[in-house]
Amino acid sequence: MDARQLSYFLAVVEHGGFTRAADALHLAQPSLCQAIRALERELGARLFQRAGRGVVLTSAGEALVAPARRVALELVAAREAVASVVGLVAGRVDLVVQPAAADAAGELTARFRQRHPAVTVRIVEPRRPPYLTRDLREGDAQLGLSYLPVTETQGLVVEPLREVEMVAVLPPGTPAGETVSLADLAQLPLVVGAPGTAWRHLTDGLFADAGVAPHVAVESAFREAVGPLITAGGLAAMMPAALAPPGAVATPLNPPVRRTLALLRRPGALPPAAEAFLRSAKLQSPQGREELRDQPPSG
């Protein structure tokens, strides 16, 4: 049973006969009769019986009318939903975000909604921490936003957006220097992410690459706790410059440390709203704009 057969069935019901239904459908009457007979064979019951020049429903046919009409309404709703998303009159983007990239997610979403105010954007943390890649693979989100590197990216598409500078964030009143080395930063009492978090994975990797062991004073799974621990608790941290709390002393690292902000997704075509979000995000970065210029025009 398919939607075409049900639409033919409803046309015969509404027009009271095969001839008028075939005319309304712009279909040859033998083709309409064959489709109805195929539907009857599949259901194992006659749906119509002759009555004068027309047909009337059998009891089996009467039982089919309401479900067939519900299917027809659902098909109309589905077509309208697709049409509205294609035109971005409506739609939804599901975005799973590494907590350290939350500010960037807000910025990208604000720019996107300036162009597409009717599209709903859902921003969530990974449901299966520490890796948002699991949420993407299992279909909980269409896009993921994170700083690279990200583990377990096999089979996913990584769309780099922009490079972000990492800085040493020091307590208020710290004498401002031009730069801080990772070796010097490692000697200070630090607040870092809890084990297993993406932030911890990032900072551990940077210190390991520099060949130094950090002095970890506080491990926090909550980014909201980091600001007070720096400004009132006298701790230091390493994070993107944009996340430094007010009053803290943000100092460049020497050598400079930069990490790439990227969107991740499953292979294949994205839903139109998610595709528009990806394009909007790329337009906000020099690298993304260059990639879009290199793409052949669609259509």
Side-chain angles (χ1 to χ4, degrees), residues 40 49 60 124 155 205 239 272:
E40 290 176 331
Q49 62 185 18
V124 297
M239 62 181 63

Side-chain angles (χ1 to χ4, degrees), residues 16-234:
F18 285 83
T19 301
R20 289 190 293 272
D23 290 340
L25 293 167
H26 304 289
L27 185 70
Q29 185 172 331
S31 298
L32 176 59
C33 293
Q34 288 176 3
I36 296 299
R37 282 197 294 269
L39 180 59
E40 290 176 331
R41 285 195 299 271
E42 185 171 348
L43 294 174
R46 291 279 303 275
L47 300 175
F48 299 99
Q49 62 185 18
R50 290 283 177 184
R53 293 187 176 182
V55 294
V56 295
L57 288 164
T58 64
S59 57
E62 290 175 349
L64 181 60
V65 171
R69 284 177 174 157
R70 285 196 295 270
V71 170
L73 288 174
E74 290 295 329
L75 287 172
V76 170
R79 292 189 187 100
E80 290 177 350
V82 171
S84 67
V85 172
V86 169
L88 292 184
V89 176
R92 172 167 151 168
V93 179
D94 293 305
L95 179 66
V96 59
V97 177
Q98 174 198 36
D103 289 66
E107 174 194 339
L108 294 174
T109 301
R111 296 284 184 86
F112 172 74
R113 283 191 44 78
Q114 288 174 2
R115 296 187 176 194
H116 307 292
V119 176
T120 300
V121 180
R122 184 179 71 107
I123 303 173
V124 297
E125 288 186 319
R127 291 177 58 188
R128 299 163 182 82
Y131 308 127
L132 54 76
T133 52
R134 297 176 189 172
D135 296 66
L136 292 172
R137 285 197 183 89
E138 296 180 19
D140 291 331
Q142 301 152 341
L143 296 168
L145 184 68
S146 178
Y147 290 105
L148 302 180
V150 177
T151 59
E152 300 185 4
T153 58
Q154 298 87 348
L156 296 175
V157 178
V158 179
E159 305 272 8
L161 297 179
R162 62 174 181 257
E163 285 195 338
V164 176
E165 182 183 8
M166 303 290 289
V167 297
V169 182
L170 310 175
T174 302
E178 291 187 1
T179 60
V180 175
S181 69
L182 282 174
D184 289 339
L185 182 62
Q187 297 178 26
L188 301 176
L190 297 173
V191 53
V192 299
T197 61
W199 179 29
R200 181 62 174 272
H201 176 74
L202 175 64
T203 54
D204 282 354
L206 291 173
F207 283 120
D209 290 345
V212 295
H215 174 194
V216 175
V218 174
E219 299 174 329
S220 176
F222 302 99
R223 203 189 77 177
E224 295 82 359
V226 174
L229 286 168
I230 295 172
T231 57

